[in-house]
Amino acid sequence: MIKSIFSTFTTRVFSLIISFATLILTTNYLGAEGRGYISLLTASAGLINLFSGFIGGAALVYLIPRNKSRNFVIQSAILSYFWAFFVSIVITAFLFLTHSVDKSIIFHVFLIGFLLSILSIHTVILLAFEKIIFQNLVNLLQLLVNFILFAILLLVFHKVELNSFIVSLYSGYIASLLMSIIPIIKNLPSKVENLSLKSSLKEILKYGFFAQLSNVIQYLNYRFSFFVLNYFSGVSAVGIYSVGVVISEAIWTICGSISLVQYSKIANSNDISYSQRITLMLAKLSFLATFIAVCLLILIPESLFSIILGKDFSSVKQIIILLSPGITIFGYSVIISHYFAGIGKYIINTKASFIGLIVTLIFNLTLVPLYGYSGAAISASLSYIATAFFLIYSFIRDTGIPPTKLLPSVDDLKFAVNKLKI
């Protein structure tokens, strides 16, 4: 297990470096306005992807190991593809009719959202097969192709325009999509069962609805402020705020790497006591690592952000500081949320996300009109904290673990060394 976590973390570090290099290119060559359009485009595509996940989302990680049938995997994929196409049309139409996204990029929202949804279906299947290294490589390839092609268009052909990023984004998704097909086909279960599409759909919806509803609500917690900022302050404000968010959330590479492997292990295990203990230990380690990373990020001088990102982004450090309390505590709670997902108790994560969404709505609509992106950062941090405390409370209630056990100890480190070498 440590090997899987290390592999995931290493891949995500490389992904982080590539993403940051792409970020620097967009901020320096396209400015705050260009970065704003990119953020709205990717946020909208992400929204499509999240709604597509109601069929073909995280629930498949739980269901596929328990069915272990070639028919179930293939039928789940087919259902997911059709649903993704339908959702792409509906969400794009909604964003267009509500003027949430500029009409100049609305077609790209549809197509990129659809491609992202298909790619996500494939990566979820790979995760269910415990092919974590393949999943990491697929995600890394998308970022790498995007960066290389974007850099070539900017620096070699001097195409300093938003379309250069969009073309490179398409190329990255298509390359990763093609690469993901091969390991899925090779790892399809040999067992064949007589399953109807209706029965497969029923099982997916049974487990998938609350699982994905939680993810959709949580995504709105992350990105609702982009659309509110765009309405009250304009696309340039979105660009500045999004850079602060991207840099801050990069710290979640740590807890994301841990939780990805944790989720796969718990979903494939029937030992509840092991799942609880491993969750508690990993949550403590994740929190400590996240806290250290946040402190190091805050120590970076404000002037350095301006030098690296460009003059439009001098206030990014202020956004990072306001986000830091929520980012830190979320490093603990994300491990807890993956425990509940791994044992099929998605409703708890949904409740936690809904609490966070209420906080997001209230404070975004009151603070953003007054304080712009600073108000958005405060709202996000409060939302993360509210979500985290509910998840931690639910974990204590569900497991019966005393609150004093939530703090790191030497025994946890020993457990990590002696028990996780799987």
Side-chain angles (χ1 to χ4, degrees), residues 60-112:
L60 293 183
V61 181
Y62 178 80
L63 291 172
I64 287 176
R66 284 158 176 76
N67 285 274
K68 294 182 179 178
S69 164
R70 176 182 292 257
N71 305 57
F72 181 77
V73 175
I74 293 174
Q75 288 179 0
S76 297
I78 292 171
L79 290 168
S80 301
Y81 294 156
F82 280 105
W83 175 249
F85 184 74
F86 172 74
V87 167
S88 299
I89 294 174
V90 173
I91 298 297
T92 301
F94 173 78
L95 293 172
F96 176 74
L97 294 173
T98 57
H99 306 287
S100 298
V101 176
D102 192 274
K103 63 181 180 180
S104 64
I105 61 171
I106 197 67
F107 176 74
H108 299 301
V109 166
F110 163 75
L111 197 50
I112 290 174

Side-chain angles (χ1 to χ4, degrees), residues 149-329:
L149 185 55
F150 183 47
I152 291 172
L153 290 173
L154 285 180
L155 305 177
V156 178
F157 294 99
H158 306 290
K159 298 286 186 181
V160 185
E161 54 191 37
L162 179 62
N163 279 339
S164 295
F165 182 85
I166 293 174
V167 168
S168 65
L169 195 61
Y170 278 123
S171 302
Y173 282 131
I174 292 171
S176 292
L177 191 56
L178 293 174
M179 180 185 176
S180 67
I181 294 172
I182 299 171
I184 289 176
I185 293 175
K186 285 185 175 180
N187 290 279
L188 281 172
S190 57
K191 180 182 176 183
V192 178
E193 290 182 344
N194 262 331
L195 297 172
S196 66
L197 279 172
K198 183 178 179 181
S199 64
S200 295
L201 178 60
K202 184 178 179 181
E203 192 165 10
I204 292 169
L205 289 174
K206 176 183 176 182
Y207 288 94
F209 181 79
F210 285 111
Q212 201 59 23
L213 181 60
S214 173
N215 291 333
V216 169
I217 295 172
Q218 193 61 51
Y219 188 78
L220 290 174
N221 289 338
Y222 297 157
R223 298 295 180 258
F224 177 72
S225 55
F226 284 21
F227 301 102
V228 177
L229 262 178
N230 186 43
Y231 181 82
F232 286 106
S233 305
V235 70
S236 294
V238 177
I240 295 169
Y241 175 67
S242 68
V243 172
V245 170
V246 168
I247 293 173
S248 298
E249 291 181 355
I251 293 172
W252 287 346
T253 300
I254 300 167
C255 59
S257 302
I258 296 171
S259 63
L260 183 69
V261 179
Q262 170 215 12
Y263 183 29
S264 179
K265 287 293 181 183
I266 290 177
N268 284 274
S269 172
N270 294 316
D271 187 344
I272 190 66
S273 62
Y274 171 81
S275 297
Q276 291 174 358
R277 189 175 179 188
I278 196 175
T279 295
L280 185 60
M281 186 274 298
L282 291 177
K284 297 173 187 179
L285 296 179
S286 176
F287 173 76
L288 288 174
T290 303
F291 176 74
I292 292 170
V294 166
C295 291
L296 292 174
L297 184 59
I298 291 175
L299 290 175
I300 297 175
E302 184 177 305
S303 57
L304 188 58
F305 285 107
S306 297
I307 293 170
I308 296 174
L309 301 171
K311 57 183 177 61
D312 291 350
F313 301 91
S314 58
S315 54
V316 163
K317 183 172 180 179
Q318 176 188 343
I319 295 170
I320 291 172
I321 292 172
L322 293 173
L323 286 169
S324 60
I327 294 291
T328 303
I329 189 64

